[in-house]
Amino acid sequence: MHVLIVASGHLSATTDVARKLARALPCETTVVDTSSAPSVSFGRYDAIVFGTNVRMMLFHPRFFTYVRRWKKSRIQVPVFGYVCGVDRPRAETYCMRVARAIAPGTRVRFVGGVLDPSKASGLALALIQDYRKRLRATGRPMPELDDAQIRLLAADICARLEMRCICCDAAESASEND
């Protein structure tokens, strides 16, 4: 089995999720960061995962470019998605919009997000700093990636491809030791 993970993000959280997901899968994976990969061939994979971030309620434009390329290729394999973002109240809406963009019935998970000012500049940096300041002022926690949702996405992929999941094995052995 070979899974392609296509990550489209503004900074690096979307690619970080792709790498975590790749480590959680018990098969060969290829991670493509669309900021550095101009194109990809979809033909030799058993499943495809599209990841995008959401910033100011908009998805990364390259996400749609790669989804269109996949649709034009007419490759019929299981497809999954994930969304990185800090706006948890809108998570369900974002997941539905991503699923609709890919294909009806696509399993999409919201995996949280981070606000790392060290990787931003200009307006993005100012927005991140302002948002972090407001969170601190109200005593709310800083957003972070949701590793549990990443593991659940890995489990979704494993179940669909009928593979034994590394994440599921770890969870089962932990519960057996209790």
Side-chain angles (χ1 to χ4, degrees), residues 16-118:
D16 293 345
V17 170
R19 289 187 188 112
K20 285 183 177 192
L21 180 59
R23 285 192 300 272
L25 291 171
C27 62
E28 187 176 348
T29 57
T30 299
V31 174
V32 173
D33 180 350
T34 62
S35 65
S36 59
S39 66
V40 64
S41 171
F42 296 103
R44 58 178 216 224
Y45 300 99
D46 299 297
I48 300 170
V49 182
F50 290 103
T52 184
N53 72 331
V54 61
R55 187 162 81 178
M56 297 172 65
M57 297 177 29
L58 298 172
F59 299 115
H60 195 283
R62 281 192 221 106
F63 161 75
F64 295 106
T65 300
Y66 279 75
V67 168
R68 277 193 301 276
R69 288 178 186 170
W70 166 71
K71 286 181 175 181
K72 284 183 180 179
S73 74
R74 300 192 187 276
I75 302 293
Q76 298 297 313
V77 296
V79 180
F80 303 86
Y82 67 87
V83 180
C84 289
V86 296
D87 191 1
R88 287 201 182 276
R90 291 191 177 99
E92 187 176 335
T93 301
Y94 294 146
C95 289
M96 289 186 327
R97 287 177 51 203
V98 166
R100 199 170 36 243
I102 296 171
T106 300
R107 183 69 170 129
V108 178
R109 296 234 178 229
F110 185 82
V111 296
V114 294
L115 294 170
D116 186 357
S118 69

Side-chain angles (χ1 to χ4, degrees), residues 1 8 12 16 44 58 69 77 80 127 129 147 152 161:
M1 296 283 169
S8 302
S12 64
D16 293 345
R44 58 178 216 224
L58 298 172
R69 288 178 186 170
V77 296
F80 303 86
L127 291 171
Q129 289 172 332
D147 288 332
L152 287 171
L161 297 179

Side-chain angles (χ1 to χ4, degrees), residues 86 88 113 115 131-132 134-144:
V86 296
R88 287 201 182 276
L115 294 170
Y131 191 71
R132 289 172 60 96
R134 284 186 286 142
L135 288 175
R136 279 193 295 276
T138 58
R140 296 190 344 238
M142 290 293 155
E144 56 188 34

